[in-house]
Amino acid sequence: MPSFDIVSETDVHEIDNALAGVRREIETRFDFKGSQCTVERTENEIVLLADDAPKLAQMQELLRVYVTRRKLDAAALDFTAQPQRAAGDALRHTVTIKQGIAQDLAKTIVKGIKDSKMKVQVSIQGDELRVTGKKRDDLQDAIALVKRMGIEQPLQYQNFRD
């Protein structure tokens, strides 16, 4: 049976390259001269440490720009967490790197495909989805449907098998 997987993976090596670019830019820009701004990555989190709110906003924008330059989707970064106070007036903002498909998003995708009455079966397998069907055309229609759903998280379609 033809099948494919819907996954959401972010290449952490490219994220590291983007962070190196952000660090270089912070070191060379005049408005960051003498500041204690840093960027660190631990597993699936990026910690931005800035002296004040305007510098934090600049660092967030730099991060988005450099991630996009590395041909990654900036939507793979979750900026929803609120910045927290650090030592003195400094701010610490934790940005999460989205990896895998969350259960609620997976259920939304499964519901959308089932409601479309397509002749495919969708199963949730951990943090990815497996879509199977009898015809290759049905699977291609399922990919087109998921793309039209307007999901914010970047998705990849892998392991397309006949």
Side-chain angles (χ1 to χ4, degrees):
M1 285 233 339
S3 68
F4 70 92
D5 296 331
I6 301 174
V7 298
S8 179
E9 296 174 346
T10 305
D11 188 1
V12 292
H13 299 295
E14 290 298 326
I15 293 286
D16 287 339
N17 292 336
L19 292 179
V22 170
R23 285 187 198 103
R24 277 192 307 274
E25 180 117 3
I26 288 172
E27 290 171 3
T28 58
R29 278 181 49 169
F30 181 75
D31 55 341
F32 283 101
K33 201 67 124 183
S35 69
Q36 301 298 319
C37 298
T38 60
V39 180
E40 302 288 325
R41 183 182 73 82
T42 57
E43 292 298 315
N44 289 330
E45 289 185 342
I46 300 170
V47 178
L48 304 173
L49 185 64
D51 294 342
D52 52 26
K55 285 186 178 139
L56 181 63
Q58 285 292 316
M59 289 176 67
Q60 291 170 345
E61 188 58 33
L62 281 174
L63 183 59
R64 285 185 184 99
V65 167
Y66 275 90
V67 164
T68 305
R69 282 185 190 169
R70 301 303 304 179
K71 307 242 185 311
L72 295 174
D73 194 345
L77 302 177
D78 184 13
F79 287 92
T80 57
Q82 291 297 319
Q84 300 167 345
R85 288 258 175 240
D89 287 338
L91 292 173
R92 179 181 296 118
H93 189 197
T94 303
V95 179
T96 306
I97 302 169
K98 295 178 184 175
Q99 295 279 23
I101 300 173
Q103 287 294 322
D104 55 338
L105 179 60
K107 288 178 183 178
T108 304
I109 294 171
V110 169
K111 185 176 183 333
I113 292 174
K114 296 244 188 226
D115 290 347
S116 71
K117 305 281 192 237
M118 288 186 169
K119 295 181 180 175
V120 295
Q121 293 78 38
V122 185
S123 62
I124 300 173
Q125 297 181 339
D127 58 352
E128 62 183 46
L129 298 172
R130 169 78 40 98
V131 181
T132 58
K134 290 184 179 178
K135 295 184 193 169
R136 181 182 191 139
D137 292 339
D138 293 339
L139 297 180
Q140 291 172 338
D141 291 341
I143 290 173
L145 174 73
V146 172
K147 285 182 179 179
R148 284 194 310 266
M149 289 174 76
I151 296 169
E152 295 171 10
Q153 187 169 348
L155 299 174
Q156 294 88 33
Y157 308 95
Q158 299 178 342
N159 299 332
F160 200 99
R161 297 189 188 113
D162 269 337

